[in-house]
Amino acid sequence: MPGLLHLDSSADLTGSTTRALTRTFADAWRGLGPQHTVTYRDLHADPPPHLSDAALHWAPRLRRPGETPDPAAAATQELLLAELFAADVLVIGAPMYNWSIPSTLKAWIDQVHVLGVTAPFDTREQPLAGRPAVVVSARGAQYGPGSPTAGWDHAVPPVELVLGRSLGMAVTVVATDATLAFRVPAMAELRATAKAEFDAAQRSVVELAARLGHQAAVAR
């Protein structure tokens, strides 16, 4: 059965743009039929621990003598890895916080980016190579090409780098800007732009869920 791993990381439990868009994706995925399953993890409500031991960054075979992580910490990492390996598609809500990503999402990335397990080191193997990953980003201001703050986005690029370059996943980014336009009076003139971008992002995630869901079903 095609499986989706759905991750949220926004601290806003009621008005989050990324939560709304990842939920739309997951609903569209479920709408493909009962065989399309969803594993959900709320990284804000149930935050993954930061790495308690540097040895967890390495596959067991690559650890030095004496590097023995706490069994409970290792078990948590194994669970997170198992969820990722079991998923045919990954969708992540990755809002921009202070020009970066929420620390809870960074902790999850650190847990699953394991040299010799998900990322190549002593071999060139990338077991997740080609696996679709949809990164849904929401940014309070405008960061697109030509904007005064173009290049200030340090949220999407590192996620793309880890998932795409290191793990070899097929990453698609769905981003929407000016999400603070309805909260900050000085940004009121951007409300139409923000609405248009959100509507376009909703259409994109519905289309992606349908296309990737069908592809996963065929691959199964």
Side-chain angles (χ1 to χ4, degrees), residues 31-116:
L32 297 174
Q35 74 278 12
H36 283 74
T37 63
V38 178
T39 297
Y40 180 65
R41 182 171 287 275
D42 189 328
L43 302 178
H44 176 75
D46 183 20
H50 294 285
L51 290 184
S52 60
D53 191 320
L56 292 170
H57 188 55
W58 302 87
R61 69 178 183 279
L62 299 175
R63 294 172 188 162
R64 295 173 177 172
E67 290 184 331
T68 307
D70 174 72
T76 296
Q77 183 180 60
E78 289 170 7
L79 173 61
L80 297 174
L81 286 167
E83 289 177 348
L84 180 58
F85 277 120
D88 295 285
V89 175
L90 169 67
V91 62
I92 299 177
M96 179 192 285
Y97 281 9
N98 300 314
W99 301 286
S100 185
I101 56 175
S103 62
T104 53
L105 177 54
K106 180 61 165 64
W108 180 85
I109 289 173
D110 289 343
Q111 291 282 359
V112 301
H113 184 263
V114 184
L115 297 175

Side-chain angles (χ1 to χ4, degrees), residues 86-187:
D88 295 285
V89 175
L90 169 67
V91 62
I92 299 177
M96 179 192 285
Y97 281 9
N98 300 314
W99 301 286
S100 185
I101 56 175
S103 62
T104 53
L105 177 54
K106 180 61 165 64
W108 180 85
I109 289 173
D110 289 343
Q111 291 282 359
V112 301
H113 184 263
V114 184
L115 297 175
V117 177
T118 54
F121 188 75
D122 55 337
T123 73
R124 295 185 178 182
E125 293 180 5
Q126 290 177 306
L128 295 168
R131 192 94 43 107
V134 178
V135 179
V136 177
S137 179
R139 306 177 294 198
Q142 292 181 302
Y143 296 90
S147 68
T149 51
W152 288 24
D153 181 350
H154 301 290
V156 170
V159 178
E160 283 188 295
L161 182 61
V162 172
L163 297 182
R165 178 65 64 85
S166 192
L167 273 60
M169 302 181 78
V171 178
T172 301
V173 176
V174 178
T176 180
D177 277 359
T179 58
L180 289 177
F182 294 94
R183 182 184 181 105
V184 179
M187 296 178 63

